[in-house]
Amino acid sequence: MKFFHLSDLHIGLKLMNRDLREDQEYIFRQITETAAQEQPDAVVIAGDIYDKAVPSAEAVEVFDHFIADLTAAVPRGAIMMISGNHDSAPRVNCFRNILSRQNLYMVGQPPQREDEYIEKVTLEDEHGKVNFYLLPFVKPSMVKMAVGTDENGNNLSYNETVRHLIERENIDQSQRNVLVSHQFYLPSGKKAEEVERMDSEIRTVGNIDQVSADVLDVFDYGALGHIHKPMKAGRDRFRYCGTPLACSVSEAGQEKGILMVELGKKGEEPEISVLPLKPLRRVKVIRGSLQEVLGQACEDYVSAVLTDKVDLDVIDMQDRLRHAFPNLLEVRRESLRKADYTAELKSEEDMLDPYELCCSFLQELDEEEKAILRDVIHTVQEVK
């Protein structure tokens, strides 16, 4: 059984007010072309189809074209997707039963009543059945009628909620099972703050949404979404594929791609390979002096970090940068002088004289700058 694992499309996203429609359509064409070549049995999208719960008409149009092209590229393949925390669950869930007859499974709502269970799609190959469990993004309050509450009538934690939802399922361990989920799964023994998160991700205060990754152990593969950087959730077979396109400057330099998963016989580790995706424009951070930065002109999305030590008295600096980088995102200055706040407070007798105090604060002054500083301090003292 061969399938593609994608997630976090974030259709309609703007990168620092830059419209990414052209870039997203470019990436989606690569995905459909790759699918036409590889002919996977299924394409799985693990949440965050859109960037906003109420997507724009343009975003819906992009998604419509993508799915139309994808179904044409793999006419015999199943396409499965779930809602993420950025999506509107009811909107994704719309026409769910009708679309499933077309081998297109869009699941927006998790089980919400005691008699409801996680949507399961079963495919077959020469080794038997493969069950795909499609679990959209879950908040404890959304499913409390299905999983219950604690002894005080309060909602369960995210960890307990997801665990209860999975434990309610009658999972046949003699068959191969895949979970498609959009949550923050934390590998055993790791702290939430140790997991590198991207600026484009929504994070909860105190990481209360974390779920222990050991709940995934009953599955042969975990197709996960929510984390924007490709990574493993503990074991090799539990994967975040990351975004197909950089969604923030913090993702600059990341290699994006499709995870192609091949499941063999039950008990065998899946074969996982990355099919690279090449963006129309990369996201780059270019650091250096103004002249060094201008010397690296390109069409990419650029965050320019200027390291010039002296103040730049260049009237047309912004114009020159925008000419060199038509898709400039931002310009930042990297201060080379940093205040030293580690020095202990001293008594009046031990206080540094004004000159020494200024030198300690400014740091890295050359001899010419020190001479200017002495002259300024002496002038001020004379006036006093």
Side-chain angles (χ1 to χ4, degrees), residues 242-296:
T243 56
L245 188 71
C247 295
S248 65
V249 173
S250 63
E251 294 168 63
Q254 287 183 15
E255 294 300 323
K256 303 294 189 177
I258 305 164
L259 287 184
M260 185 168 70
V261 183
E262 297 185 68
L263 293 177
K265 296 178 181 178
K266 177 69 178 181
E268 294 179 350
E269 284 294 312
E271 293 183 15
I272 305 167
S273 53
V274 180
L275 306 179
L277 292 170
K278 301 300 180 184
L280 180 63
R281 305 175 187 89
R282 292 186 176 276
V283 175
K284 292 181 177 178
V285 177
I286 298 180
R287 179 180 280 100
S289 67
L290 177 60
Q291 293 307 316
E292 290 170 342
V293 169
L294 289 172
Q296 301 180 58

Side-chain angles (χ1 to χ4, degrees), residues 16 249 285 287-288 303-307 330-334:
M16 291 189 179
V249 173
V285 177
R287 179 180 280 100
S303 170
V305 182
L306 303 180
T307 60
E330 62 176 351
V331 180
R332 292 188 285 121
R333 293 296 303 275
E334 186 177 81

Side-chain angles (χ1 to χ4, degrees), residues 3 87 91 94 108 111 156 177 259 332:
F3 63 91
D87 297 310
R91 283 182 171 84
C94 195
L156 301 177
N177 300 290
L259 287 184
R332 292 188 285 121

Side-chain angles (χ1 to χ4, degrees), residues 232-250:
K232 301 172 186 176
R235 301 195 181 189
D236 192 60
R237 68 177 190 268
F238 306 141
R239 296 284 190 106
Y240 286 102
C241 60
T243 56
L245 188 71
C247 295
S248 65
V249 173
S250 63

Side-chain angles (χ1 to χ4, degrees), residues 33-83:
E33 288 167 5
T34 305
Q37 294 170 5
E38 294 290 343
Q39 288 299 306
D41 300 294
V43 176
V44 169
I45 302 173
D48 279 355
I49 300 164
Y50 295 110
D51 190 57
K52 289 181 170 54
V54 183
S56 66
E58 291 79 8
V60 174
E61 184 180 14
V62 171
F63 176 66
D64 179 53
H65 289 164
F66 174 47
I67 296 302
D69 293 343
L70 196 55
T71 53
V74 284
R76 294 185 297 276
I79 299 175
M80 313 175 202
M81 65 192 78
I82 59 174
S83 64

Side-chain angles (χ1 to χ4, degrees), residues 121-278:
V121 177
T122 301
L123 304 180
E124 285 197 58
D125 64 5
E126 66 273 19
H127 301 302
K129 294 181 178 181
V130 178
N131 302 307
F132 290 83
Y133 288 86
L134 309 181
L135 179 61
F137 176 70
V138 172
K139 288 183 178 178
S141 59
M142 297 165 59
V143 297
K144 65 181 180 181
M145 298 297 291
V147 301
T149 56
D150 65 16
E151 63 274 11
N152 298 317
N154 299 318
N155 292 334
L156 301 177
S157 67
Y158 277 82
N159 183 56
E160 293 168 327
T161 295
V162 174
R163 191 175 297 277
H164 277 58
L165 283 172
I166 292 173
E167 288 175 349
R168 292 169 73 244
E169 300 295 321
N170 183 22
I171 299 176
D172 188 342
Q173 292 297 300
S174 68
Q175 298 176 356
R176 292 161 295 168
N177 300 290
V178 175
L179 177 68
V180 184
S181 179
H182 191 95
Q183 302 286 157
F184 177 28
Y185 289 98
L186 189 64
S188 299
K190 267 204 169 188
K191 296 180 179 178
E193 53 270 21
E194 295 174 347
V195 177
E196 185 181 7
R197 306 292 296 272
M198 302 296 103
D199 293 342
S200 51
E201 298 173 26
I202 292 178
R203 282 169 272 188
T204 60
V205 176
N207 293 300
I208 62 170
D209 60 338
Q210 66 187 46
V211 178
S212 178
D214 60 10
V215 74
L216 303 172
D217 288 345
V218 294
F219 297 98
D220 297 275
Y221 183 79
L224 310 178
H226 192 45
I227 304 295
H228 289 183
K229 179 181 180 179
M231 60 173 281
K232 301 172 186 176
R235 301 195 181 189
D236 192 60
R237 68 177 190 268
F238 306 141
R239 296 284 190 106
Y240 286 102
C241 60
T243 56
L245 188 71
C247 295
S248 65
V249 173
S250 63
E251 294 168 63
Q254 287 183 15
E255 294 300 323
K256 303 294 189 177
I258 305 164
L259 287 184
M260 185 168 70
V261 183
E262 297 185 68
L263 293 177
K265 296 178 181 178
K266 177 69 178 181
E268 294 179 350
E269 284 294 312
E271 293 183 15
I272 305 167
S273 53
V274 180
L275 306 179
L277 292 170
K278 301 300 180 184

